[in-house]
Amino acid sequence: MLASLKSLAVFALAATAAQAAIVTYDWNITYVTANPDGLKERRVVGVNGQFPIPAINVTLNDTLVINVINQLDEPTSLHSHGLFQTGNGQFDGPSMVTQCPIPAGAKFTYTIPIEQHGTYWIHGHYKGHYVDGLRGPLIIHNINETYAYDEEYTLALADWYHTEHPIMLEQYLSIFNPSGAEPVPESGLINHMTNAKFNFVPGKTYRLRLINMSALAMFHFHIDGHEMEIIEIDGIDVERTKVTSFPITAAQRYSVLVTAKNDTSYNYILHADMDPAMFDVVPDDLQLNVTGTIVYSESAPTAPEETSQWLDFNDGDLVPVIPEETSEPAQIIALTASFNVLSDYSNKATFNDITYVQPKVPSLYTALTTGNYSSNPEVYGKYTHPLVLKHNDWIEIIINNNDAGNHPFHLHGHVFQIVGRGEGVHDPSKPYEGYINTTNPARRDTVLVPTEQNVAIRFRANNPGVWLFHCHIEWHLQAGLAVTFIEAPDLIPSVIKVDQSHYDNCKALDIPFSGNAAGKEGLDLTGANLGPDPLPGTFTAKGIVALVFTIIAALLGLGTVIWYAREDDINIQAEAAKARNNEEETN
Ligand SMILES: *[C@@H]1O[C@H](CO)[C@@H](O)[C@H](O)[C@H]1NC(C)=O
Ligand SMILES: *[C@@H]1O[C@H](CO)[C@@H](O)[C@H](O)[C@H]1NC(C)=O
Ligand SMILES: *[C@@H]1O[C@H](CO)[C@@H](O)[C@H](O)[C@H]1NC(C)=O
Ligand SMILES: *[C@@H]1O[C@H](CO)[C@@H](O)[C@H](O)[C@H]1NC(C)=O
Ligand SMILES: *[C@@H]1O[C@H](CO)[C@@H](O)[C@H](O)[C@H]1NC(C)=O
Ligand SMILES: *[C@@H]1O[C@H](CO)[C@@H](O)[C@H](O)[C@H]1NC(C)=O
Ligand SMILES: *[C@@H]1O[C@H](CO)[C@@H](O)[C@H](O)[C@H]1NC(C)=O
Ligand SMILES: *[C@@H]1O[C@H](CO)[C@@H](O)[C@H](O)[C@H]1NC(C)=O
Ligand SMILES: *[C@@H]1O[C@H](CO)[C@@H](O)[C@H](O)[C@H]1NC(C)=O
Ligand SMILES: [Cu+2]
């Protein structure tokens, strides 16, 4: 059936060749020097010597071709966030999941048939390249848009750090950071600027496409003097919904329609307020409230600034224009997210006590090369946290957030329905009680699960491939908050075709590209990458640090100076966490 679907698609492409175009971008991924917040010049990752990187602009049914030359001094890869990549999972992008990364100096071409429309983004999926700047809009126009508007603007919201990601990552995951405090950004930016301007002409209707490209921050969006109507979330058109403000978490997208005023007597501020609840420490000089300007007339004064109310807006209330009914799940998977100091003494993230560790062979290549072992989760290695899904089953995932922070979870290769929300960690031995909506539920690809709450999502396993499911706070992904869905593994070899150019990446980097997670045959996993495991008993973070330092100090014959310095840090973090909790209570 899949084969015939595929040939149908090829036929349709041929039949409509007049409209459907091949849109090619040549992207040299390069280091660039930039100072986007005007506070510090630094090295960033850009494209063709430019930063911010150029937006990609295509139309439904086009084929997007990106010719990459990696001119960095380390490997890289690109993920087109939110695209289904049906039968095309070899181009999804996450390093060591669906491909070997592109080596320094190498060329690689992503070929992506466009089967959706709406607002997406493209970003690096190798280490933290996107935090260092490799992130840009990927806008897909519909052949006929669902809603009429005159003009459109894209607003890429992002947090910005003055330090390069690898340096911060090492500190974040070090044993000196047992509480897992994330690096706090120095700035928030709109379109990688501090003073973005958007020209409005009286009477016209504008579509604003908002993309949150943050590594950490959550924003609340609001425009002085203007009402907004939400019409799209994560590529899904929704019924017009009036709002004065809404939150947008890392990796989510919203489109809003805004009707311009009838006169040009004022210009107006638009606000993207970063939510400090996500930050362990809020430095005095951090500008949490990022602004831009709606310009009616260069000479007009700015309308008095409003303070927006942050609304407790529920994306589950948004109604998709094209309904999709849900179905009773054939498989229910409960995943509990926690952060703990693990057996390597660093603070790591786990789903059901497993922290994600990359395999030696990209998981997709394991699915392609292990024959009928590919349906056995063991071949993917315990620490990729493989979950095998049967073709066309409805899958329900109950995501429990057992952590003090909020987490935006993203599924590759799908949109999912938001069917339930509840308090606390759901007990899997009991029936789930949090169902809120099984009638055309809201669909999207990234959902926020607030602290100590759970969310139930559903999707149909109709896209054979290997799809990562992870927290989109980059720090948390690096800390291991991910699982791997192995969807319809029996069909993967007939649906997904990987050509030599993919394996050339592996060869150049000396990465094996067949066999199980250890690069061996059958279930012989000797030599597979292993992760740290939960520590036995009830170690506290502080107790562990004290223990580690006692050992290190003894081994190195160091005095107590460093230890006291670090203890101060820990106290500062504890104070910050306390302040944050108080703040959350008063909100
Ligand atoms: C777009 O592609 C789909 C399937 O590939 C096809 O059914 C549809 O007719 C195409 N639309 C246009 C306007 O070409
Ligand atoms: C990319 O780099 C190559 C080799 O340096 C150069 O020939 C080419 O013009 C560059 N392309 C773009 C789009 O900058
Ligand atoms: C994007 O493409 C559309 C349709 O092809 C075109 O009308 C529009 O001007 C393009 N926008 C940008 C920013 O290139
Ligand atoms: C788009 O709209 C035009 C004009 O109304 C119509 O002729 C065409 O069939 C529509 N195309 C699709 C794919 O709906
Ligand atoms: C983007 O998402 C992050 C993480 O959830 C959040 O802290 C930040 O405020 C968001 N930004 C916007 C503009 O919504
Ligand atoms: C602008 O003027 C038109 C016609 O007078 C009116 O229908 C419309 O509501 C006005 N729009 C706004 C945003 O005030
Ligand atoms: C940011 O904006 C919010 C909402 O308008 C307001 O409550 C808060 O005080 C502002 N924060 C700062 C630091 O200005
Ligand atoms: C469920 O979603 C539908 C459409 O998406 C909406 O009309 C309805 O109000 C929602 N019901 C509940 C209980 O949220
Ligand atoms: C696996 O496939 C081989 C042939 O390729 C077959 O002989 C064997 O019985 C199969 N094993 C299982 C468990 O299906
Ligand atoms: Cu997270």
Side-chain angles (χ1 to χ4, degrees), residues 442-465:
R443 308 192 291 277
R444 63 186 320 165
D445 61 48
T446 306
V447 66
L448 186 77
V449 186
T451 173
E452 302 302 335
Q453 292 186 30
N454 61 69
V455 169
I457 62 172
R458 285 187 192 166
F459 62 96
R460 192 156 168 251
N462 56 4
N463 192 2

Side-chain angles (χ1 to χ4, degrees), residues 157-159 189 210-221 246-252 271-276 278-279 406-408 448 472-473:
L157 312 173
D159 46 14
L189 302 171
L210 287 103
I211 309 173
N212 185 344
M213 301 187 182
S214 284
L216 173 64
M218 174 163 84
F219 292 84
H220 296 266
F221 186 73
F246 58 93
I248 168 168
T249 191
Q252 290 183 331
H271 302 262
D273 300 338
M274 287 197 276
D275 192 334
M278 306 291 290
F279 303 152
N406 302 333
H407 301 277
L448 186 77
H472 218 294
I473 289 178

Side-chain angles (χ1 to χ4, degrees), residues 223-226 261 263 265-270 292-296 301-304 306:
I223 310 176
D224 288 351
H226 292 71
K261 303 249 171 223
D263 61 83
S265 42
Y266 288 103
N267 296 327
Y268 295 84
I269 301 290
L270 61 83
T293 312
I294 301 283
V295 179
Y296 283 91
T302 302
E306 296 171 8

